[in-house]
């Protein structure tokens, strides 16, 4: 693998293009933000962005143990989710705003991931043209979900929105756009695979030691990725053993170290979560089940079709190539396996990288040669249209077919940020002032009752506990949403007091979103005392006789 200094110009430039393109929705939101209607800084998967900011808040306040802030039940902290907690510590040391730190990390780790992906490509493809083709696909490709909009007139295919527009883990550009920790985890996965292959080729312990360090780091971010790593490497070793017609013993000690070194961390995380009733309840309801298989087929579209002949070619090679085909082949059954913690679709993470490399092989070894030798190309060549132009046209068309969903998502996210719909991207000056007042005048453990949107915003903004605010981290969310609807709606005072007492609620926030939930006026009660009012948003403290 040789990458010249001049060659680096292209991947660096394209990585910067990705960062700019995926940053457009955020820039659009900040551009239209006003003092009265403030863009918080998030467009896609706002709930999980709030969750990560809440973790950063805990780090910013000097903590290392993780507590769920989106549910009122008290519970012990544990040492998990260390990436964002560490990022919070970094923000405190730098004196930086958490949202700016979040996006700074997103861009830095996204940039590193894309350059690592190019290095991984070069580990397999020796020529510059194919390296660039594979890299373009990794940076920008998505699936054929755009056809649902073109022919169906809506963002629905079957019973759900096509995965092109929401399954973040499937696409590199979307990962870079949203989550810094996933970019880092993908970087480490590629490094572990490359270094392990190097170890298998050279038997150098320095390579497997570095790979093991990467695997340990992954266990702190996405421990479930270790399942994919271990199975893919085991499959690669087994295939090599079969071809050698004898057990390949030499690399086994190093591979065992790679597999076992992260296990103490994984075991701690499992025991810590399983032994904590609130954390185990969070995991039990954190469903990330896979959609129907055809959604994945549509979601990778042209890239998947091209990767099939490329994968068949790779499996028949010796050395490092079979790993690229084994990776997606092993992930496929895992996407529907009843594995621990309901993580099925998250295991698709990173699969786009080998698929794009294999698609490049399929295109350049099979499709383009077929075009070159076709009768149509020969006929066009006889009329003065050279065959290389036919190949170039087909290549460009195939690449272009992978781009519409990517462009549509970035455009629609930008328009959503400008319009402020859905409204969990925009918060009024009164809402921000009320939340900031709580940050200055209440304890972090004082549970706050508010609408779902404000309940998600409070932990992200000030790191305080709320009654509800996250689809997975609020334990038994349906029950709590129903209770909140009754509290702000048709419940009587006795039931409201019962809700406040049952969940240890100390403050009640009342603004435009809460008014939409019902006609309750907390100012007319004797158990809620107004302690803050600004711009139509009030905070009431619960008082008990």
């Amino acid at each position: 693998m040789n990458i010249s200094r001049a060659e680096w110009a292209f991947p660096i430039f394209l990585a910067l293009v990705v960062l700019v393109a995926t940053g457009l929705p955020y820039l659009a939101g900040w551009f239209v933000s006003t003092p009265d209607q403030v863009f918080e800084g998030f467009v896609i998967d706002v709930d999980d962005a709030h969750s990560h900011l809440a973790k950063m808040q805990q780090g910013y306040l000097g903590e290392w143990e993780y507590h769920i802030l989106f549910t009122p039940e008290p519970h012990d902290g544990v040492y998990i989710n260390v990436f964002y907690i560490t990022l919070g510590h970094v923000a405190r040391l730098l004196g930086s705003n958490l949202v700016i730190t979040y996006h700074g990390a997103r861009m830095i780790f996204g940039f590193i991931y894309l350059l690592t992906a190019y290095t991984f490509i070069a580990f397999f493809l020796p020529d510059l043209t194919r390296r660039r083709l594979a890299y373009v696909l990794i940076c920008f490709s998505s699936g054929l979900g755009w056809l649902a909009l073109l022919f169906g007139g809506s963002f629905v295919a079957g019973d759900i929105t096509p995965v092109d527009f929401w399954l973040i883990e499937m696409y590199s550009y979307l990962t870079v756009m949203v989550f810094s920790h996933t970019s880092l985890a993908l970087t480490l996965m590629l490094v572990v695979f490359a270094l392990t292959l190097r170890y298998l080729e050279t038997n150098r312990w320095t390579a497997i030691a570095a790979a093991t360090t990467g695997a340990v780091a992954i266990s702190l971010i996405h421990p479930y990725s270790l399942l994919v790593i271990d199975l893919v490497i085991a499959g690669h070793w087994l295939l090599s053993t079969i071809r050698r017609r004898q057990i390949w013993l030499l690399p086994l000690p190093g591979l065992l170290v790679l597999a076992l070194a992260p296990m103490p961390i994984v075991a701690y995380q499992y025991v810590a979560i399983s032994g904590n009733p609130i954390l185990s309840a969070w995991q039990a309801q954190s469903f990330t089940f896979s959609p129907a298989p055809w959604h994945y087929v549509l979601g990778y579209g042209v890239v998947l079709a091209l990767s099939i002949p490329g994968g068949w070619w790779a499996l028949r090679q010796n050395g490092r190539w079979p790993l690229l085909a084994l990776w997606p082949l092993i992930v496929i059954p895992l996407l529907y396996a009843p594995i621990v913690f309901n993580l099925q679709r998250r295991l698709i993470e990173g699969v786009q990288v080998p698929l794009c490399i294999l698609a490049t092989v399929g295109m350049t070894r099979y499709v383009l040669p077929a075009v070159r030798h076709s009768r149509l190309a020969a006929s066009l060549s006889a009329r003065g249209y050279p065959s290389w132009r036919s190949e170039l046209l087909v290549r460009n068309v195939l690449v272009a077919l992978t781009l519409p969903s990517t462009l549509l998502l970035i455009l629609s996210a930008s328009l959503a940020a400008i319009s402020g719909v859905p409204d969990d991207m925009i918060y009024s000056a009164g809402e921000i002032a009320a939340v900031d007042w709580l940050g200055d005048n209440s304890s972090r453990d004082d549970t706050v009752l508010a609408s779902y949107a404000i309940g998600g915003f409070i932990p992200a903004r000030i790191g305080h506990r709320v009654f509800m605010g996250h689809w997975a981290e609020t334990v038994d969310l349906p029950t709590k949403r129903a209770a909140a609807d009754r509290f702000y709606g048709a419940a009587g005072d006795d039931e409201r007091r019962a809700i406040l007492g049952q969940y240890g609620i100390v403050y009640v926030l009342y603004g435009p979103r809460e008014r939409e939930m019902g006609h309750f006026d907390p100012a007319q009660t004797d158990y809620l005392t107004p302690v803050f009012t600004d711009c139509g948003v009030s905070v009431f403290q619960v008082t008990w006789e």
Side-chain angles (χ1 to χ4, degrees):
M1 176 186 67
N2 293 308
I3 304 176
S4 67
R5 182 174 298 181
E7 184 180 344
W8 274 115
F10 179 79
I12 290 172
F13 172 75
L14 214 60
L16 293 174
V17 171
V18 173
L19 292 180
V20 171
T22 55
L24 290 177
Y26 304 111
L27 294 175
W30 278 313
F31 181 77
V32 301
S33 182
T34 68
D36 294 328
Q37 296 292 320
V38 180
F39 175 66
E40 184 197 7
F42 304 103
V43 179
I44 295 174
D45 203 356
V46 175
D47 274 10
D48 284 345
H50 284 160
S51 172
H52 300 323
L53 274 183
K55 301 177 185 88
M56 291 176 65
Q57 286 283 356
Q58 294 176 67
Y60 193 86
L61 294 170
E63 295 186 1
W64 286 104
E65 289 184 313
Y66 168 68
H67 296 82
I68 298 178
L69 301 181
F70 297 89
T71 200
E73 295 85 0
H75 55 280
D76 294 330
V78 296
Y79 295 101
I80 60 174
N81 291 318
V82 297
F83 175 85
Y84 284 107
I85 292 176
T86 301
L87 202 56
H89 282 272
V90 171
R92 175 170 52 85
L93 292 173
L94 296 176
S96 174
N97 174 277
L98 290 187
V99 174
I100 298 301
T101 303
Y102 183 98
H103 283 292
R106 178 185 63 79
M107 296 177 70
I108 290 170
F109 288 112
F111 185 73
I112 292 172
Y113 160 60
L114 292 176
L115 295 190
T116 303
Y118 188 82
T119 305
F120 191 76
I121 292 168
F123 196 66
F124 291 91
L125 298 175
D127 56 291
L128 183 61
T129 301
R130 291 198 297 170
R131 287 179 181 181
R132 289 182 171 179
L133 176 58
Y135 189 59
V136 168
L137 291 175
I138 288 173
C139 286
F140 295 110
S141 71
S142 51
L144 296 173
W146 56 275
L147 293 175
L149 181 63
L150 182 64
F151 295 109
S154 70
F155 284 100
V156 176
D159 54 346
I160 64 172
T161 302
V163 293
D164 306 41
F165 305 114
W166 60 270
L167 217 173
I168 297 168
E169 292 87 351
M170 283 185 68
Y171 310 109
S172 293
Y173 86 92
L174 194 49
T175 295
V176 172
M177 184 176 181
V178 182
F179 294 141
S180 57
H181 71 292
T182 305
S183 291
L184 178 56
L186 289 175
T187 299
L188 293 169
M189 283 186 76
L190 298 181
V191 168
V192 169
F193 279 135
L195 288 172
T196 303
L197 288 173
R198 183 72 74 189
Y199 166 71
L200 293 174
E201 293 167 353
T202 64
N203 201 38
R204 291 180 180 174
W205 275 87
T206 52
I208 201 63
T212 300
T213 302
V216 170
I218 289 173
S219 72
L220 297 171
I221 306 170
H222 279 171
Y224 53 82
S225 296
L226 294 172
L227 176 64
V228 174
I229 290 172
D230 291 343
L231 289 178
V232 171
I233 291 173
H236 186 80
W237 172 85
L238 180 60
L239 182 60
S240 299
T241 292
I242 292 172
R243 287 176 172 173
R244 289 167 178 262
R245 299 184 179 180
Q246 61 179 355
I247 298 177
W248 192 16
L249 294 174
L250 186 62
L252 277 182
L255 297 183
L256 288 174
V257 170
L258 174 67
L260 296 177
M263 288 303 105
I265 295 174
V266 175
Y268 165 77
Q269 293 170 334
Y270 179 79
V271 171
I273 293 173
S274 300
N276 187 310
I278 301 306
L279 295 180
S280 59
W282 154 52
Q283 285 294 328
Q285 65 187 25
S286 183
F287 300 123
T288 54
F289 293 133
S290 279
W294 71 269
H295 281 288
Y296 287 114
V297 174
L298 189 69
Y300 281 126
V302 173
V303 168
L304 179 62
L306 292 171
S307 72
I308 293 173
W312 175 247
W313 177 86
L315 280 174
R316 290 179 292 146
Q317 306 307 302
N318 293 316
R320 60 185 66 164
W321 275 99
L323 182 137
L324 292 179
L326 290 171
W327 186 349
L329 287 175
I330 286 172
V331 164
I332 289 171
L334 293 179
L335 293 174
Y336 298 94
I339 56 176
V340 177
F341 291 156
N342 308 320
L343 295 170
Q344 290 178 343
R345 69 172 181 256
R346 291 190 180 180
L347 299 177
I348 198 73
E349 204 168 89
V351 167
Q352 186 192 33
V353 173
L355 286 181
C356 287
I357 298 174
L358 294 173
T360 300
V361 173
M363 188 189 304
T364 57
R365 292 190 67 90
Y366 297 99
V367 175
L368 297 185
V371 170
R372 184 189 318 130
H373 298 107
S374 66
R375 291 182 179 179
L376 178 59
S379 176
L380 291 173
S381 181
R383 290 173 171 80
Y385 191 84
S387 59
W388 67 265
R389 286 191 175 180
S390 299
E391 292 182 54
L392 182 62
L393 176 63
V394 170
R395 187 193 71 179
N396 290 344
V397 168
L398 290 173
V399 172
L401 289 173
T402 71
L403 302 180
S405 288
T406 301
L407 298 175
L408 274 172
L409 188 140
I410 293 174
L411 176 61
S412 60
S414 300
L415 294 175
I418 291 171
S419 66
V421 179
D423 63 359
D424 58 359
M425 295 184 288
I426 303 291
Y427 294 89
S428 71
E431 290 169 336
I432 292 174
V435 172
D436 287 346
W437 183 91
L438 285 166
D440 294 334
N441 296 276
S442 67
S443 167
R444 293 167 54 208
D445 293 328
D446 290 342
T447 300
V448 182
L449 172 62
S451 64
Y452 181 85
I454 299 297
F457 180 58
I458 289 171
R461 177 84 177 182
I462 62 174
H464 287 209
R465 182 187 295 170
V466 294
F467 175 69
M468 65 173 184
H470 190 272
W471 66 274
E473 295 182 38
T474 299
V475 175
D476 194 9
L477 177 62
T479 297
K480 290 188 171 72
R481 292 196 84 147
D485 287 340
R486 292 197 308 275
F487 183 92
Y488 287 108
D493 285 338
D494 289 341
E495 184 179 2
R496 291 193 181 99
R497 287 192 183 95
I499 292 171
L500 296 172
Q502 178 182 355
Y503 295 104
I505 295 168
V506 180
Y507 291 95
V508 174
L509 191 143
Y510 190 68
R513 300 175 205 253
E514 289 72 26
R515 291 188 188 94
E516 292 178 358
M517 298 172 67
H519 301 292
F520 171 56
D521 183 1
Q524 302 302 314
T525 68
D526 59 0
Y527 51 88
L528 294 173
T529 302
V531 291
F532 173 87
T533 300
D534 185 27
C535 298
V537 181
S538 300
V539 176
F540 294 82
Q541 186 171 8
V542 178
T543 56
W544 302 99
E545 296 181 358

